[in-house]
Every structure is written in C-alpha cells, then in structure tokens.
C-alpha cells in the first residue's frame, strides 16, 4: 500500500528496485488517479490495483504478473515412433518433386 505509515509503499518499492532482487511489485492502494498510477509504475510497480477490490481480483493480478514475467515455453509433442517430418516444399517420400523429370 502506498499510504502505510513508516516507510511508505513508495519507499519500499524504491528499495526493492534498488536491491536488484527482481521481486515483483504489486501496488495496492486507494490512490486511483491516472497520475497516481503512472507514478507507481514509474517507481517500478509491475501491477497496480486500486481499492476497493474483490479478493478474486487480488488473486488474479499476481498470476497475470507471473505469466508476463515467465511466459510458458511452447511444449513440443513427442514424436510418434516412426513418424517423419517433412521439410517445407518437399514432397512425401516416394513422390517426385514437381517439375522433376521423374514420373
């Protein structure tokens, strides 16, 4: 929260960014003006959620940040035994290439 007493949320965000730890920052705050949001992102926030919010929304935002920071690599399906992969523009085995002299 940006308005907590003691070191403010902004100061904590600055410290996290300065540490180089890469810890994601989600700002939870009642400060909902566009200037507030812009300054939060400029401080290093990865996401910004304004109050009031639903619990489900609070759960979804960190999940979205995680997806953005660590996109899943496309998983390749295992090859079937004996399956062959054709290169682009190549006919299947045993078929003449278009324009070839073989019929």
């Amino acid at each position: 929260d940006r308005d907590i007493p003691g070191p403010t949320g902004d100061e904590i965000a600055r410290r996290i960014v300065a540490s180089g730890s890469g810890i994601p920052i989600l700002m939870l705050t009642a400060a909902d003006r566009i200037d507030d949001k812009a300054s939060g992102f400029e401080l290093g926030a990865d996401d910004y959620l304004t109050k009031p919010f639903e619990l489900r929304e609070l759960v979804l935002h960190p999940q979205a940040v995680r997806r953005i920071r660590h996109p899943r690599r496309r998983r390749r399906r295992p090859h079937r035994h004996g399956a062959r992969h054709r290169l682009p523009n190549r006919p299947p085995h045993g078929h003449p290439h278009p324009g070839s002299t073989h019929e």
Side-chain angles (χ1 to χ4, degrees), residues 68-86:
I68 292 167
R69 288 176 146 238
H70 305 287
R72 293 180 185 162
R73 294 182 183 174
R74 295 182 89 188
R75 293 183 183 172
R76 291 187 164 193
R77 299 177 90 188
H79 299 289
R80 291 184 186 174
H81 180 68
R84 293 182 182 217
H85 293 278
R86 292 184 295 161

Side-chain angles (χ1 to χ4, degrees), residues 6-19:
T8 64
D10 288 1
E11 181 57 35
I12 293 169
R14 281 189 198 95
R15 290 177 188 178
I16 291 170
V17 170
S19 76

